[in-house]
Amino acid sequence: MRVALFLTCVNDMLFPETGKAVVRLLERLGCEVDFPPDQTCCGQMHFNTGYRDDARPMAKGFVSAVGGYEAVVVPSGSCAAMVREWYPSLGVTPPGGVFELSEFIVDVLGVTDVGAYFPHTVTYHPTCHSLRSLKVGSRPLDLLSQVRGLTLVPLGGAEECCGFGGTFSLKNPSVSAAMCSDKVRSVLDTEAEVLCAADNSCLMHIGGALSRQRTGVRVMHLAEILASTEAER
């Protein structure tokens, strides 16, 4: 299956290892992965901040860049939700077959055991867009539960927002920090070594607090855990 990887701005600029992990993972599962060079921003930040006229050409650019592929895989629930849910309000028809990573693996490829090996204790934070907009449900947990060596522990208050919310954290820093503090407390209560999520924006927010407090808890995108194999260790 030939798929396009839409990496997203945050991953491209700050977390390129996530994109590499997605490619390794999907190729291992038999996909041919392309990185359309014309991809830029999906326009979510502009759209959410009220600059919809500026978001529209970005949306059109996205559609043009990924046209012709059987599927478009996005390692971000927030960007996938932007394309699928909000492009129509801009007068832009989203391309068919845009999937968040866990949706694509479980629903399209029909796989839950991706052959991963990760001998650590992990807890999972379901990000707001993946949970409420895309409704990915248990798909990420189903994938993590099949990873060899991984011990999955539940996160208390998992469905509560971490407080990032893109520009929300800039406009409401005190509220955002308080929400993040609650999330960090829940993470530490699990005694997990690694906090996993499917959006690096949320992991950046929570991970910053975990790092500043010197907790020793790492944050990792779902793709990086699923791409890990015993041969690499």
Side-chain angles (χ1 to χ4, degrees), residues 1 98 107 201:
M1 188 174 190
V98 174
D107 296 348
S201 53

Side-chain angles (χ1 to χ4, degrees), residues 1 3 13 15 24 30-31 53-54 66 79 108 125-126 146 156 161 174 194-195 197 202 215:
M1 188 174 190
V3 305
M13 295 181 65
F15 302 100
R24 291 199 309 274
C31 295
D53 288 340
D54 296 298
V66 302
C79 293
V108 179
H125 166 64
Q146 296 296 318
C161 177
S174 296
V194 177
L195 170 67
C202 298
T215 63

Side-chain angles (χ1 to χ4, degrees), residues 108-131:
V108 179
L109 299 183
V111 175
T112 53
D113 186 345
V114 300
Y117 173 77
F118 191 74
H120 300 281
T121 303
V122 177
T123 193
Y124 175 75
H125 166 64
T127 61
C128 290
H129 284 92
S130 64
L131 181 70

